[in-house]
Structures are given as structure tokens and as C-alpha cells.
Amino acid sequence: LGQLKMLEKLDLRSNRIKKLPREIGKLEKLEYLDVRYNHLLSVPVELLNCSGLKTLILSANGLKVLPDVGQLKELCSMSVDRNQLISLPNLRSLSCLQYLNVAHNKLAAVPSDLQDLDQLKELHLSISNMKLDFIHQVDSLVDKLKGKGVKVHLDQTDLFPARIKSGPMPRRASVLGRTFSFEKTTEDG
């Protein structure tokens, strides 16, 4: 792989890959990397040597942590959705980033530096795994991003469990400026 120094596009999606070789960092001209739908648990730090990388797709793997992708100054599009990420590295220095998909991970809080991405045009984010303490941060972030013209896709599907065991289900709740109504079922009693 390291011999392909002029390679610009590498599409390895859906190949059951468990590990990317460190030689990937020798692909000096690489602009597009797609390794979605594999079995990656980590990304080699050598990937950061691909300084011309513009599109990085790491979706639907088992990633728990990302290397400091902030070093990829040319990155315009990054998809890391459907992984196991608990947090994101600092993204503030990604001044070219226009598209970011971090939905369906295990993010515990909102990455505060998302509002500093001046070129960002579209963001996909889930709040289903965030602690309720951090959900107000999402509301503030969404307002700021929408004010800058960013198209925000906010997935809230798992925000409320079907049944709350610690007490009765509320009749109404308001989260992120949206009101949810709940009806009793025969199962609820």
C-alpha cells in the first residue's frame, strides 16, 4: 500500500477490515478515504500524514477514539457516525470542514468547538446517549449553528425510553424547544 504514493482515492468499504496498515500514511496524494462498514477498532496515527485528505469516511465501525484529526487541515468532509465514540478530538483547526456526521455514537457531551467551524454547512448529531445535564448545550449549539446558516440534523429518537421505571411517565415534556406529549397505554395502568 505504501508504494502507491500517487493514489488519490481509496475506497475500502464493506471489506471486513479489522486494521488499517500504518503504511497508509505514505499515501501523500490521498484525498479521499472510505472505510465505512468494516470492523475497525482504531485508526493508525500515521493517517495524519495524509495532509491532503479532503474526505474521510469512517462510519459504521467499532471506533472508540479518533486520532487528532485536527492536523488534517484540508479536510472538508468527515463521517464518523455509527461508531462507539465517547468524545471527539479538537476540531477547531479544521478550517475547511463543511460536512460533519457524528450521529449515533456514545458522545457524552456536545463538542464545544463545533461552533468555531466557520466553513461548516451541515452537521449530523445524535443526543440519545447524552446525559440530560448536557442536552441544554445542544440547544445552545443548534441555535448558534443555525444562526450561521448551518443545516443541522438532530436525531433525538432515543431521548425518551418507552417506559420510565423510576416513576410515572410525564404527560408532557419540553426538550430543545420541542414539546412531547405522552399518552397512557393499558400497559402503563
Side-chain angles (χ1 to χ4, degrees):
L1 186 64
Q3 306 272 329
L4 304 171
K5 295 185 184 218
M6 301 306 286
L7 188 68
E8 294 179 2
K9 182 177 180 178
L10 183 57
D11 189 334
L12 297 170
R13 70 180 123 181
S14 301
N15 279 295
R16 298 184 180 147
I17 297 170
K18 294 182 180 178
K19 187 175 183 180
L20 284 176
R22 291 181 175 189
E23 291 79 23
I24 198 159
K26 294 180 181 178
L27 303 178
E28 300 167 359
K29 302 288 185 184
L30 191 64
E31 294 182 3
Y32 179 96
L33 177 62
D34 185 347
V35 290
R36 70 183 123 182
Y37 300 112
N38 280 292
H39 301 285
L40 299 175
L41 299 177
S42 65
V43 176
V45 70
E46 289 81 3
L47 179 66
L48 303 177
N49 295 332
C50 300
S51 59
L53 198 59
K54 292 182 173 130
T55 301
L56 179 59
I57 305 171
L58 299 168
S59 304
N61 281 285
L63 300 174
K64 293 183 179 180
V65 68
L66 291 176
D68 184 13
V69 293
Q71 295 179 39
L72 298 172
K73 305 288 187 208
E74 301 294 319
L75 200 59
C76 298
S77 176
M78 183 169 77
S79 296
V80 293
D81 55 303
R82 293 170 294 193
N83 279 291
Q84 303 295 314
L85 299 173
I86 295 169
S87 65
L88 295 173
N90 188 327
L91 302 175
R92 186 172 283 124
S93 62
L94 295 177
S95 59
C96 296
L97 195 65
Q98 296 177 18
Y99 176 88
L100 179 62
N101 189 342
V102 296
H104 305 289
N105 277 289
K106 294 185 175 184
L107 298 176
V110 180
S112 62
D113 56 355
L114 293 181
Q115 65 193 10
D116 298 328
L117 299 173
D118 292 332
Q119 298 300 314
L120 192 64
K121 304 281 185 248
E122 189 170 348
L123 171 67
H124 293 256
L125 179 66
S126 298
I127 60 170
S128 59
N129 290 309
M130 291 184 190
K131 296 177 183 175
L132 288 175
D133 298 350
F134 295 110
I135 291 178
H136 71 279
Q137 291 178 356
V138 174
D139 196 23
S140 175
L141 174 69
V142 167
D143 285 345
K144 288 176 185 174
L145 291 174
K146 283 185 175 180
K148 294 168 84 174
V150 176
K151 187 176 182 179
V152 179
H153 303 272
L154 185 61
D155 184 350
Q156 307 170 59
T157 53
D158 294 328
L159 186 58
F160 293 105
R163 198 165 155 86
I164 298 176
K165 295 183 181 175
S166 61
M169 186 74 144
R171 291 262 187 231
R172 294 179 64 124
S174 181
V175 177
L176 300 174
R178 292 158 186 88
T179 301
F180 299 88
S181 296
F182 304 95
E183 295 181 20
K184 279 189 171 187
T185 64
T186 54
E187 191 177 287
D188 292 331

